[in-house]
Short mmCIF file of all heavy atoms in Angstrom, two decimals:
data_model
loop_
_atom_site.label_atom_id
_atom_site.label_comp_id
_atom_site.label_asym_id
_atom_site.label_seq_id
_atom_site.Cartn_x
_atom_site.Cartn_y
_atom_site.Cartn_z
N MET W 7 13.09 -17.55 -53.29
CA MET W 7 12.77 -18.93 -53.61
C MET W 7 11.44 -18.96 -54.37
O MET W 7 10.52 -18.26 -54.04
CB MET W 7 12.69 -19.73 -52.32
CG MET W 7 12.66 -21.22 -52.55
SD MET W 7 13.00 -22.15 -51.05
CE MET W 7 14.76 -21.88 -50.91
N SER W 8 11.37 -19.80 -55.37
CA SER W 8 10.19 -19.84 -56.23
C SER W 8 9.26 -21.00 -55.86
O SER W 8 9.32 -22.06 -56.45
CB SER W 8 10.63 -19.96 -57.68
OG SER W 8 11.37 -21.15 -57.87
N ASN W 9 8.42 -20.80 -54.89
CA ASN W 9 7.46 -21.83 -54.49
C ASN W 9 6.33 -21.89 -55.51
O ASN W 9 5.97 -20.88 -56.10
CB ASN W 9 6.89 -21.53 -53.11
CG ASN W 9 7.96 -21.56 -52.05
OD1 ASN W 9 9.04 -22.08 -52.24
ND2 ASN W 9 7.65 -20.97 -50.91
N ARG W 10 5.76 -23.07 -55.72
CA ARG W 10 4.66 -23.26 -56.64
C ARG W 10 3.62 -24.18 -56.05
O ARG W 10 3.92 -24.99 -55.17
CB ARG W 10 5.14 -23.89 -57.96
CG ARG W 10 6.13 -23.09 -58.76
CD ARG W 10 5.42 -21.94 -59.48
NE ARG W 10 6.35 -21.23 -60.31
CZ ARG W 10 6.52 -21.44 -61.61
NH1 ARG W 10 5.81 -22.34 -62.24
NH2 ARG W 10 7.40 -20.75 -62.29
N VAL W 11 2.41 -24.11 -56.57
CA VAL W 11 1.35 -25.02 -56.16
C VAL W 11 1.42 -26.25 -57.05
O VAL W 11 1.40 -26.16 -58.28
CB VAL W 11 -0.04 -24.35 -56.27
CG1 VAL W 11 -1.14 -25.36 -55.96
CG2 VAL W 11 -0.13 -23.16 -55.35
N VAL W 12 1.53 -27.43 -56.41
CA VAL W 12 1.59 -28.70 -57.12
C VAL W 12 0.59 -29.64 -56.46
O VAL W 12 0.66 -29.88 -55.25
CB VAL W 12 3.01 -29.30 -57.07
CG1 VAL W 12 3.04 -30.67 -57.71
CG2 VAL W 12 4.01 -28.37 -57.75
N GLU W 13 -0.33 -30.14 -57.25
CA GLU W 13 -1.38 -31.03 -56.75
C GLU W 13 -2.08 -30.44 -55.53
O GLU W 13 -2.36 -31.13 -54.54
CB GLU W 13 -0.81 -32.41 -56.43
CG GLU W 13 -0.30 -33.16 -57.65
CD GLU W 13 0.21 -34.53 -57.30
OE1 GLU W 13 -0.59 -35.34 -56.81
OE2 GLU W 13 1.41 -34.79 -57.49
N GLY W 14 -2.35 -29.15 -55.56
CA GLY W 14 -3.12 -28.48 -54.53
C GLY W 14 -2.36 -28.04 -53.29
O GLY W 14 -2.96 -27.55 -52.35
N ARG W 15 -1.04 -28.20 -53.28
CA ARG W 15 -0.27 -27.74 -52.11
C ARG W 15 0.97 -26.97 -52.57
O ARG W 15 1.53 -27.25 -53.62
CB ARG W 15 0.10 -28.92 -51.22
CG ARG W 15 0.92 -29.94 -51.91
CD ARG W 15 1.18 -31.15 -51.03
NE ARG W 15 1.93 -32.08 -51.85
CZ ARG W 15 1.72 -33.37 -51.91
NH1 ARG W 15 0.81 -33.92 -51.17
NH2 ARG W 15 2.43 -34.13 -52.69
N MET W 16 1.37 -26.02 -51.74
CA MET W 16 2.54 -25.19 -52.04
C MET W 16 3.81 -25.99 -51.76
O MET W 16 3.93 -26.62 -50.72
CB MET W 16 2.52 -23.94 -51.16
CG MET W 16 3.57 -22.92 -51.53
SD MET W 16 3.33 -22.15 -53.13
CE MET W 16 1.93 -21.11 -52.82
N VAL W 17 4.74 -26.01 -52.74
CA VAL W 17 5.99 -26.73 -52.56
C VAL W 17 7.18 -25.83 -52.85
O VAL W 17 7.11 -24.92 -53.67
CB VAL W 17 6.08 -28.00 -53.45
CG1 VAL W 17 5.02 -28.99 -53.10
CG2 VAL W 17 6.02 -27.64 -54.93
N THR W 18 8.28 -26.09 -52.16
CA THR W 18 9.56 -25.43 -52.41
C THR W 18 10.27 -26.21 -53.51
O THR W 18 9.89 -27.34 -53.83
CB THR W 18 10.42 -25.43 -51.15
OG1 THR W 18 10.72 -26.79 -50.82
CG2 THR W 18 9.74 -24.74 -49.98
N PRO W 19 11.35 -25.66 -54.09
CA PRO W 19 12.12 -26.43 -55.07
C PRO W 19 12.61 -27.76 -54.50
O PRO W 19 12.55 -28.79 -55.19
CB PRO W 19 13.29 -25.50 -55.41
CG PRO W 19 12.74 -24.13 -55.20
CD PRO W 19 11.83 -24.27 -54.00
N GLU W 20 13.07 -27.77 -53.26
CA GLU W 20 13.56 -29.01 -52.65
C GLU W 20 12.44 -30.04 -52.51
O GLU W 20 12.63 -31.22 -52.81
CB GLU W 20 14.18 -28.73 -51.27
CG GLU W 20 15.50 -27.99 -51.32
CD GLU W 20 15.36 -26.48 -51.51
OE1 GLU W 20 14.23 -25.94 -51.43
OE2 GLU W 20 16.39 -25.83 -51.75
N LYS W 21 11.26 -29.61 -52.10
CA LYS W 21 10.13 -30.52 -51.94
C LYS W 21 9.67 -31.06 -53.29
O LYS W 21 9.34 -32.24 -53.41
CB LYS W 21 8.97 -29.82 -51.21
CG LYS W 21 7.79 -30.71 -50.95
CD LYS W 21 8.15 -31.87 -50.04
CE LYS W 21 6.94 -32.74 -49.78
NZ LYS W 21 7.28 -33.99 -49.13
N LEU W 22 9.67 -30.23 -54.32
CA LEU W 22 9.31 -30.68 -55.66
C LEU W 22 10.29 -31.75 -56.13
O LEU W 22 9.88 -32.79 -56.66
CB LEU W 22 9.28 -29.51 -56.63
CG LEU W 22 8.97 -29.85 -58.08
CD1 LEU W 22 7.59 -30.50 -58.21
CD2 LEU W 22 9.07 -28.61 -58.95
N ALA W 23 11.58 -31.51 -55.94
CA ALA W 23 12.59 -32.50 -56.32
C ALA W 23 12.38 -33.81 -55.56
O ALA W 23 12.48 -34.89 -56.13
CB ALA W 23 13.99 -31.95 -56.06
N GLU W 24 12.07 -33.71 -54.28
CA GLU W 24 11.83 -34.91 -53.47
C GLU W 24 10.58 -35.67 -53.93
O GLU W 24 10.55 -36.90 -53.89
CB GLU W 24 11.71 -34.54 -51.99
CG GLU W 24 13.02 -34.10 -51.39
CD GLU W 24 12.89 -33.52 -49.99
OE1 GLU W 24 11.76 -33.48 -49.44
OE2 GLU W 24 13.93 -33.11 -49.45
N LEU W 25 9.55 -34.95 -54.39
CA LEU W 25 8.34 -35.61 -54.90
C LEU W 25 8.67 -36.49 -56.10
O LEU W 25 8.18 -37.62 -56.20
CB LEU W 25 7.29 -34.57 -55.31
CG LEU W 25 6.49 -33.91 -54.22
CD1 LEU W 25 5.63 -32.78 -54.79
CD2 LEU W 25 5.61 -34.92 -53.52
N VAL W 26 9.49 -36.00 -57.01
CA VAL W 26 9.82 -36.75 -58.21
C VAL W 26 10.89 -37.80 -57.91
O VAL W 26 10.81 -38.94 -58.38
CB VAL W 26 10.29 -35.81 -59.35
CG1 VAL W 26 10.68 -36.61 -60.58
CG2 VAL W 26 9.19 -34.81 -59.70
N GLU W 27 11.88 -37.45 -57.11
CA GLU W 27 12.99 -38.35 -56.79
C GLU W 27 12.56 -39.49 -55.87
O GLU W 27 13.09 -40.60 -55.94
CB GLU W 27 14.12 -37.55 -56.13
CG GLU W 27 15.38 -38.33 -55.85
CD GLU W 27 16.16 -38.74 -57.08
OE1 GLU W 27 15.95 -38.17 -58.17
OE2 GLU W 27 16.99 -39.65 -56.95
N GLY W 28 11.62 -39.22 -54.98
CA GLY W 28 11.20 -40.23 -54.03
C GLY W 28 12.13 -40.34 -52.84
O GLY W 28 12.04 -41.27 -52.05
N ASP W 29 13.05 -39.38 -52.69
CA ASP W 29 14.01 -39.38 -51.60
C ASP W 29 14.47 -37.94 -51.40
O ASP W 29 14.20 -37.06 -52.22
CB ASP W 29 15.20 -40.28 -51.95
CG ASP W 29 15.97 -40.77 -50.73
OD1 ASP W 29 15.63 -40.35 -49.60
OD2 ASP W 29 16.91 -41.56 -50.91
N SER W 30 15.21 -37.69 -50.33
CA SER W 30 15.69 -36.34 -50.08
C SER W 30 16.81 -35.98 -51.07
O SER W 30 17.46 -36.85 -51.64
CB SER W 30 16.20 -36.20 -48.64
OG SER W 30 17.27 -37.08 -48.42
N VAL W 31 16.98 -34.68 -51.29
CA VAL W 31 18.01 -34.18 -52.21
C VAL W 31 18.94 -33.23 -51.48
O VAL W 31 18.58 -32.68 -50.43
CB VAL W 31 17.36 -33.47 -53.43
CG1 VAL W 31 16.48 -34.44 -54.20
CG2 VAL W 31 16.59 -32.25 -53.03
N MET W 32 20.14 -33.05 -52.02
CA MET W 32 21.12 -32.18 -51.38
C MET W 32 20.84 -30.70 -51.62
O MET W 32 20.98 -29.88 -50.74
CB MET W 32 22.53 -32.51 -51.92
CG MET W 32 23.00 -33.88 -51.55
SD MET W 32 24.65 -34.20 -52.17
CE MET W 32 25.58 -33.00 -51.25
N ASP W 33 20.46 -30.36 -52.87
CA ASP W 33 20.27 -28.97 -53.26
C ASP W 33 19.33 -28.91 -54.45
O ASP W 33 19.28 -29.86 -55.24
CB ASP W 33 21.62 -28.33 -53.61
CG ASP W 33 21.54 -26.82 -53.76
OD1 ASP W 33 20.68 -26.21 -53.09
OD2 ASP W 33 22.32 -26.26 -54.54
N ALA W 34 18.61 -27.81 -54.60
CA ALA W 34 17.70 -27.65 -55.74
C ALA W 34 17.74 -26.21 -56.23
O ALA W 34 17.88 -25.28 -55.44
CB ALA W 34 16.28 -28.03 -55.35
N GLU W 35 17.60 -26.04 -57.54
CA GLU W 35 17.54 -24.72 -58.16
C GLU W 35 16.09 -24.23 -58.16
O GLU W 35 15.17 -25.01 -57.89
CB GLU W 35 18.07 -24.82 -59.59
CG GLU W 35 19.53 -25.19 -59.66
CD GLU W 35 20.05 -25.19 -61.08
OE1 GLU W 35 19.26 -25.22 -62.04
OE2 GLU W 35 21.29 -25.16 -61.22
N PRO W 36 15.86 -22.96 -58.49
CA PRO W 36 14.48 -22.45 -58.53
C PRO W 36 13.61 -23.21 -59.54
O PRO W 36 14.09 -23.69 -60.56
CB PRO W 36 14.65 -20.99 -58.96
CG PRO W 36 16.03 -20.64 -58.51
CD PRO W 36 16.84 -21.90 -58.70
N ILE W 37 12.33 -23.30 -59.23
CA ILE W 37 11.36 -23.96 -60.11
C ILE W 37 11.11 -23.08 -61.33
O ILE W 37 11.00 -21.86 -61.22
CB ILE W 37 10.04 -24.21 -59.35
CG1 ILE W 37 10.28 -25.13 -58.16
CG2 ILE W 37 8.97 -24.77 -60.29
CD1 ILE W 37 9.09 -25.23 -57.22
N GLU W 38 11.00 -23.72 -62.51
CA GLU W 38 10.75 -22.99 -63.75
C GLU W 38 9.59 -23.63 -64.50
O GLU W 38 9.29 -24.81 -64.32
CB GLU W 38 12.00 -23.03 -64.64
CG GLU W 38 13.21 -22.36 -64.02
CD GLU W 38 14.41 -22.39 -64.94
OE1 GLU W 38 14.31 -22.97 -66.04
OE2 GLU W 38 15.44 -21.83 -64.57
N ASP W 39 8.97 -22.85 -65.40
CA ASP W 39 7.96 -23.40 -66.30
C ASP W 39 8.68 -24.24 -67.34
O ASP W 39 9.71 -23.83 -67.87
CB ASP W 39 7.18 -22.29 -66.99
CG ASP W 39 6.31 -21.51 -66.01
OD1 ASP W 39 5.73 -22.14 -65.11
OD2 ASP W 39 6.23 -20.28 -66.15
N ALA W 40 8.15 -25.42 -67.66
CA ALA W 40 8.79 -26.32 -68.62
C ALA W 40 8.30 -26.12 -70.05
O ALA W 40 8.81 -26.74 -70.96
CB ALA W 40 8.59 -27.77 -68.19
N ASP W 41 7.30 -25.27 -70.26
CA ASP W 41 6.74 -25.01 -71.59
C ASP W 41 6.33 -26.29 -72.31
O ASP W 41 6.64 -26.50 -73.48
CB ASP W 41 7.74 -24.21 -72.45
CG ASP W 41 7.96 -22.82 -71.92
OD1 ASP W 41 7.02 -22.24 -71.36
OD2 ASP W 41 9.09 -22.31 -72.04
N ARG W 42 5.67 -27.18 -71.57
CA ARG W 42 5.12 -28.40 -72.16
C ARG W 42 3.90 -28.82 -71.37
O ARG W 42 3.70 -28.37 -70.26
CB ARG W 42 6.17 -29.51 -72.24
CG ARG W 42 6.70 -29.95 -70.89
CD ARG W 42 7.94 -30.81 -71.01
NE ARG W 42 7.64 -32.22 -70.87
CZ ARG W 42 8.56 -33.14 -70.62
NH1 ARG W 42 9.82 -32.81 -70.51
NH2 ARG W 42 8.23 -34.40 -70.50
N GLU W 43 3.09 -29.68 -71.97
CA GLU W 43 1.88 -30.17 -71.32
C GLU W 43 2.12 -31.57 -70.77
O GLU W 43 2.89 -32.34 -71.32
CB GLU W 43 0.72 -30.22 -72.31
CG GLU W 43 0.19 -28.87 -72.70
CD GLU W 43 -1.03 -28.98 -73.60
OE1 GLU W 43 -1.40 -30.10 -73.99
OE2 GLU W 43 -1.60 -27.93 -73.90
N CYS W 44 1.40 -31.89 -69.71
CA CYS W 44 1.47 -33.21 -69.11
C CYS W 44 0.93 -34.25 -70.10
O CYS W 44 -0.14 -34.06 -70.67
CB CYS W 44 0.63 -33.24 -67.83
SG CYS W 44 0.50 -34.87 -67.07
N PRO W 45 1.67 -35.35 -70.31
CA PRO W 45 1.19 -36.39 -71.23
C PRO W 45 -0.01 -37.18 -70.69
O PRO W 45 -0.69 -37.87 -71.44
CB PRO W 45 2.40 -37.31 -71.40
CG PRO W 45 3.22 -37.09 -70.17
CD PRO W 45 2.98 -35.66 -69.76
N GLU W 46 -0.29 -37.05 -69.39
CA GLU W 46 -1.40 -37.80 -68.81
C GLU W 46 -2.69 -36.99 -68.71
O GLU W 46 -3.76 -37.51 -68.99
CB GLU W 46 -1.02 -38.34 -67.43
CG GLU W 46 0.01 -39.44 -67.52
CD GLU W 46 0.26 -40.15 -66.21
OE1 GLU W 46 -0.47 -39.90 -65.22
OE2 GLU W 46 1.19 -40.95 -66.17
N CYS W 47 -2.59 -35.71 -68.28
CA CYS W 47 -3.83 -34.94 -68.08
C CYS W 47 -3.88 -33.63 -68.87
O CYS W 47 -4.89 -32.96 -68.85
CB CYS W 47 -4.03 -34.65 -66.58
SG CYS W 47 -2.96 -33.35 -65.94
N GLY W 48 -2.78 -33.26 -69.52
CA GLY W 48 -2.75 -32.02 -70.30
C GLY W 48 -2.49 -30.78 -69.47
O GLY W 48 -2.55 -29.67 -69.97
N GLY W 49 -2.19 -30.95 -68.16
CA GLY W 49 -1.91 -29.82 -67.28
C GLY W 49 -0.54 -29.20 -67.52
O GLY W 49 0.25 -29.69 -68.33
N ASP W 50 -0.27 -28.12 -66.84
CA ASP W 50 1.01 -27.43 -66.96
C ASP W 50 2.11 -28.22 -66.26
O ASP W 50 1.93 -28.74 -65.16
CB ASP W 50 0.94 -26.03 -66.33
CG ASP W 50 0.02 -25.11 -67.11
OD1 ASP W 50 -0.09 -25.26 -68.34
OD2 ASP W 50 -0.58 -24.22 -66.48
N VAL W 51 3.29 -28.28 -66.90
CA VAL W 51 4.44 -28.98 -66.35
C VAL W 51 5.48 -27.95 -65.93
O VAL W 51 5.74 -26.98 -66.64
CB VAL W 51 5.04 -29.96 -67.39
CG1 VAL W 51 6.33 -30.58 -66.87
CG2 VAL W 51 4.03 -31.04 -67.73
N ILE W 52 6.07 -28.17 -64.76
CA ILE W 52 7.16 -27.32 -64.26
C ILE W 52 8.41 -28.19 -64.12
O ILE W 52 8.34 -29.43 -64.14
CB ILE W 52 6.80 -26.65 -62.93
CG1 ILE W 52 6.35 -27.68 -61.88
CG2 ILE W 52 5.75 -25.57 -63.13
CD1 ILE W 52 6.00 -27.09 -60.52
N SER W 53 9.57 -27.54 -64.01
CA SER W 53 10.81 -28.29 -63.88
C SER W 53 11.65 -27.72 -62.75
O SER W 53 11.51 -26.56 -62.36
CB SER W 53 11.60 -28.25 -65.18
OG SER W 53 12.07 -26.94 -65.45
N VAL W 54 12.53 -28.58 -62.24
CA VAL W 54 13.47 -28.17 -61.20
C VAL W 54 14.75 -28.97 -61.39
O VAL W 54 14.71 -30.17 -61.65
CB VAL W 54 12.88 -28.38 -59.78
CG1 VAL W 54 12.61 -29.84 -59.48
CG2 VAL W 54 13.77 -27.76 -58.72
N GLY W 55 15.89 -28.30 -61.31
CA GLY W 55 17.18 -28.97 -61.34
C GLY W 55 17.63 -29.21 -59.92
O GLY W 55 17.43 -28.35 -59.06
N TYR W 56 18.20 -30.37 -59.67
CA TYR W 56 18.61 -30.68 -58.29
C TYR W 56 19.76 -31.67 -58.27
O TYR W 56 20.07 -32.32 -59.27
CB TYR W 56 17.43 -31.23 -57.49
CG TYR W 56 16.88 -32.54 -58.00
CD1 TYR W 56 17.29 -33.75 -57.44
CD2 TYR W 56 15.94 -32.58 -59.01
CE1 TYR W 56 16.79 -34.96 -57.91
CE2 TYR W 56 15.43 -33.76 -59.47
CZ TYR W 56 15.86 -34.96 -58.91
OH TYR W 56 15.36 -36.15 -59.38
N MET W 57 20.38 -31.77 -57.11
CA MET W 57 21.47 -32.71 -56.89
C MET W 57 21.04 -33.76 -55.86
O MET W 57 20.95 -33.45 -54.67
CB MET W 57 22.71 -31.98 -56.39
CG MET W 57 23.31 -31.05 -57.41
SD MET W 57 24.77 -30.21 -56.79
CE MET W 57 25.90 -31.59 -56.65
N PRO W 58 20.76 -34.99 -56.31
CA PRO W 58 20.42 -36.04 -55.36
C PRO W 58 21.66 -36.55 -54.63
O PRO W 58 21.56 -37.14 -53.56
CB PRO W 58 19.81 -37.14 -56.23
CG PRO W 58 20.36 -36.90 -57.59
CD PRO W 58 20.61 -35.42 -57.69
N SER W 59 22.84 -36.33 -55.22
CA SER W 59 24.11 -36.71 -54.60
C SER W 59 25.19 -35.75 -55.08
O SER W 59 24.96 -34.93 -55.98
CB SER W 59 24.49 -38.14 -54.97
OG SER W 59 24.79 -38.22 -56.35
N VAL W 60 26.36 -35.86 -54.52
CA VAL W 60 27.47 -34.98 -54.88
C VAL W 60 27.87 -35.14 -56.35
O VAL W 60 28.31 -34.20 -56.98
CB VAL W 60 28.69 -35.24 -53.96
CG1 VAL W 60 29.88 -34.43 -54.38
CG2 VAL W 60 28.34 -34.97 -52.52
N MET W 61 27.69 -36.32 -56.89
CA MET W 61 28.17 -36.64 -58.24
C MET W 61 27.11 -36.56 -59.33
O MET W 61 27.40 -36.88 -60.47
CB MET W 61 28.75 -38.07 -58.24
CG MET W 61 29.87 -38.26 -57.26
SD MET W 61 31.31 -37.24 -57.59
CE MET W 61 31.93 -38.03 -59.04
N GLU W 62 25.90 -36.10 -59.03
CA GLU W 62 24.83 -36.14 -60.02
C GLU W 62 23.98 -34.88 -60.00
O GLU W 62 23.65 -34.36 -58.95
CB GLU W 62 23.95 -37.36 -59.74
CG GLU W 62 22.89 -37.61 -60.78
CD GLU W 62 22.09 -38.88 -60.48
OE1 GLU W 62 22.01 -39.31 -59.32
OE2 GLU W 62 21.50 -39.41 -61.43
N PHE W 63 23.64 -34.39 -61.20
CA PHE W 63 22.69 -33.28 -61.37
C PHE W 63 21.56 -33.80 -62.25
O PHE W 63 21.80 -34.36 -63.31
CB PHE W 63 23.34 -32.06 -62.00
CG PHE W 63 22.40 -30.90 -62.12
CD1 PHE W 63 22.19 -30.05 -61.05
CD2 PHE W 63 21.68 -30.68 -63.28
CE1 PHE W 63 21.30 -28.99 -61.13
CE2 PHE W 63 20.79 -29.61 -63.38
CZ PHE W 63 20.61 -28.78 -62.30
N VAL W 64 20.33 -33.62 -61.81
CA VAL W 64 19.16 -34.14 -62.50
C VAL W 64 18.16 -33.00 -62.71
O VAL W 64 18.03 -32.12 -61.87
CB VAL W 64 18.49 -35.25 -61.65
CG1 VAL W 64 17.22 -35.76 -62.31
CG2 VAL W 64 19.45 -36.39 -61.40
N THR W 65 17.45 -33.04 -63.84
CA THR W 65 16.32 -32.14 -64.04
C THR W 65 15.06 -32.97 -63.96
O THR W 65 14.94 -34.00 -64.64
CB THR W 65 16.40 -31.43 -65.40
OG1 THR W 65 17.61 -30.68 -65.46
CG2 THR W 65 15.22 -30.49 -65.59
N ALA W 66 14.14 -32.55 -63.11
CA ALA W 66 12.86 -33.25 -62.95
C ALA W 66 11.75 -32.42 -63.57
O ALA W 66 11.78 -31.19 -63.53
CB ALA W 66 12.57 -33.47 -61.47
N TYR W 67 10.78 -33.11 -64.13
CA TYR W 67 9.59 -32.49 -64.70
C TYR W 67 8.39 -33.03 -63.94
O TYR W 67 8.27 -34.23 -63.73
CB TYR W 67 9.47 -32.81 -66.19
CG TYR W 67 10.66 -32.32 -66.96
CD1 TYR W 67 11.75 -33.14 -67.20
CD2 TYR W 67 10.71 -31.00 -67.42
CE1 TYR W 67 12.86 -32.68 -67.88
CE2 TYR W 67 11.82 -30.53 -68.10
CZ TYR W 67 12.89 -31.37 -68.34
OH TYR W 67 13.99 -30.90 -69.00
N LYS W 68 7.48 -32.13 -63.53
CA LYS W 68 6.33 -32.54 -62.72
C LYS W 68 5.09 -31.76 -63.15
O LYS W 68 5.14 -30.55 -63.32
CB LYS W 68 6.63 -32.25 -61.24
CG LYS W 68 5.49 -32.51 -60.28
CD LYS W 68 5.29 -33.99 -60.05
CE LYS W 68 4.18 -34.25 -59.04
NZ LYS W 68 2.85 -34.21 -59.63
N CYS W 69 3.99 -32.49 -63.31
CA CYS W 69 2.72 -31.86 -63.61
C CYS W 69 2.22 -31.16 -62.35
O CYS W 69 2.35 -31.69 -61.25
CB CYS W 69 1.71 -32.92 -64.06
SG CYS W 69 0.07 -32.22 -64.40
N GLN W 70 1.63 -29.98 -62.51
CA GLN W 70 1.09 -29.26 -61.37
C GLN W 70 -0.28 -29.79 -60.96
O GLN W 70 -0.75 -29.50 -59.86
CB GLN W 70 0.98 -27.77 -61.68
CG GLN W 70 2.34 -27.08 -61.74
CD GLN W 70 2.19 -25.59 -61.89
OE1 GLN W 70 2.14 -25.08 -62.99
NE2 GLN W 70 2.09 -24.89 -60.77
N GLU W 71 -0.93 -30.57 -61.81
CA GLU W 71 -2.30 -31.01 -61.55
C GLU W 71 -2.42 -32.47 -61.13
O GLU W 71 -3.32 -32.82 -60.38
CB GLU W 71 -3.17 -30.79 -62.80
CG GLU W 71 -3.11 -29.38 -63.36
CD GLU W 71 -3.59 -28.33 -62.38
OE1 GLU W 71 -4.53 -28.60 -61.62
OE2 GLU W 71 -3.02 -27.23 -62.37
N CYS W 72 -1.57 -33.37 -61.65
CA CYS W 72 -1.70 -34.81 -61.37
C CYS W 72 -0.37 -35.39 -60.90
O CYS W 72 0.65 -34.69 -60.90
CB CYS W 72 -2.22 -35.54 -62.61
SG CYS W 72 -0.99 -35.85 -63.90
N PRO W 73 -0.32 -36.66 -60.53
CA PRO W 73 0.90 -37.28 -60.00
C PRO W 73 2.04 -37.49 -61.01
O PRO W 73 3.13 -37.87 -60.61
CB PRO W 73 0.42 -38.63 -59.46
CG PRO W 73 -1.04 -38.51 -59.29
CD PRO W 73 -1.49 -37.53 -60.32
N TRP W 74 1.82 -37.27 -62.31
CA TRP W 74 2.86 -37.54 -63.31
C TRP W 74 4.12 -36.72 -63.03
O TRP W 74 4.07 -35.54 -62.71
CB TRP W 74 2.34 -37.20 -64.71
CG TRP W 74 3.39 -37.42 -65.76
CD1 TRP W 74 3.67 -38.58 -66.40
CD2 TRP W 74 4.32 -36.45 -66.25
NE1 TRP W 74 4.71 -38.39 -67.27
CE2 TRP W 74 5.14 -37.10 -67.20
CE3 TRP W 74 4.56 -35.11 -65.99
CZ2 TRP W 74 6.17 -36.45 -67.89
CZ3 TRP W 74 5.58 -34.46 -66.66
CH2 TRP W 74 6.36 -35.12 -67.61
N GLY W 75 5.26 -37.37 -63.20
CA GLY W 75 6.55 -36.73 -63.10
C GLY W 75 7.61 -37.63 -63.70
O GLY W 75 7.45 -38.85 -63.76
N GLU W 76 8.70 -37.03 -64.20
CA GLU W 76 9.81 -37.80 -64.75
C GLU W 76 11.10 -37.00 -64.61
O GLU W 76 11.06 -35.80 -64.29
CB GLU W 76 9.57 -38.16 -66.22
CG GLU W 76 9.65 -36.96 -67.17
CD GLU W 76 9.45 -37.35 -68.63
OE1 GLU W 76 9.03 -38.49 -68.89
OE2 GLU W 76 9.72 -36.50 -69.48
N THR W 77 12.23 -37.66 -64.81
CA THR W 77 13.53 -36.99 -64.78
C THR W 77 14.21 -37.15 -66.13
O THR W 77 13.76 -37.93 -66.98
CB THR W 77 14.45 -37.59 -63.69
OG1 THR W 77 14.77 -38.93 -64.04
CG2 THR W 77 13.78 -37.53 -62.30
N ASP W 78 15.31 -36.43 -66.31
CA ASP W 78 16.07 -36.53 -67.55
C ASP W 78 17.14 -37.62 -67.50
O ASP W 78 17.99 -37.69 -68.37
CB ASP W 78 16.69 -35.18 -67.92
CG ASP W 78 17.72 -34.70 -66.90
OD1 ASP W 78 17.89 -35.34 -65.84
OD2 ASP W 78 18.35 -33.66 -67.16
N ARG W 79 17.09 -38.47 -66.49
CA ARG W 79 18.03 -39.60 -66.43
C ARG W 79 17.79 -40.54 -67.60
O ARG W 79 16.65 -40.79 -67.99
CB ARG W 79 17.83 -40.41 -65.15
CG ARG W 79 18.35 -39.75 -63.93
CD ARG W 79 18.28 -40.77 -62.77
NE ARG W 79 18.77 -40.21 -61.55
CZ ARG W 79 18.01 -39.80 -60.54
NH1 ARG W 79 16.70 -39.88 -60.64
NH2 ARG W 79 18.54 -39.32 -59.46
N GLU W 80 18.87 -41.12 -68.11
CA GLU W 80 18.73 -42.07 -69.22
C GLU W 80 18.68 -43.48 -68.72
O GLU W 80 19.06 -43.85 -67.69
CB GLU W 80 19.89 -41.91 -70.18
CG GLU W 80 19.81 -40.56 -70.86
CD GLU W 80 20.88 -40.40 -71.94
OE1 GLU W 80 21.54 -41.39 -72.28
OE2 GLU W 80 21.02 -39.30 -72.42
#
């Protein structure tokens, strides 16, 4: 499992997905580098793919330094 430090604390893929989703998730893939900078603070952004429900797959992007985060939902 690929744990990472986000906003000063170690998180699992599931916890990272929950931070961005604001709710619990069913399953999450390993955390990856997103190769982009945070639009708010310029910090490193990481991504995680997860399933908030049986019928949906979402990719979340989260800054490792500040509260910014977003998903690929339209």
Side-chain angles (χ1 to χ4, degrees):
M7 193 165 286
S8 60
N9 297 343
R10 297 284 184 96
V11 175
V12 175
E13 295 182 62
R15 60 185 177 222
M16 188 67 72
V17 297
T18 63
E20 289 81 9
K21 183 63 179 169
L22 178 60
E24 290 171 2
L25 282 172
V26 178
E27 185 69 18
D29 202 356
S30 61
V31 299
M32 295 181 65
D33 191 29
E35 295 184 343
I37 299 170
E38 298 181 358
D39 293 321
D41 294 327
R42 62 193 259 197
E43 289 184 355
C44 174
E46 290 189 8
C47 76
D50 292 329
V51 173
I52 54 179
S53 67
V54 64
Y56 63 95
M57 294 180 67
S59 67
V60 175
M61 302 297 289
E62 186 177 24
F63 183 84
V64 177
T65 300
Y67 300 93
K68 175 75 177 82
C69 178
Q70 288 187 270
E71 308 299 324
C72 78
W74 178 86
E76 70 178 12
T77 66
D78 64 354
R79 285 189 180 105
E80 293 185 10

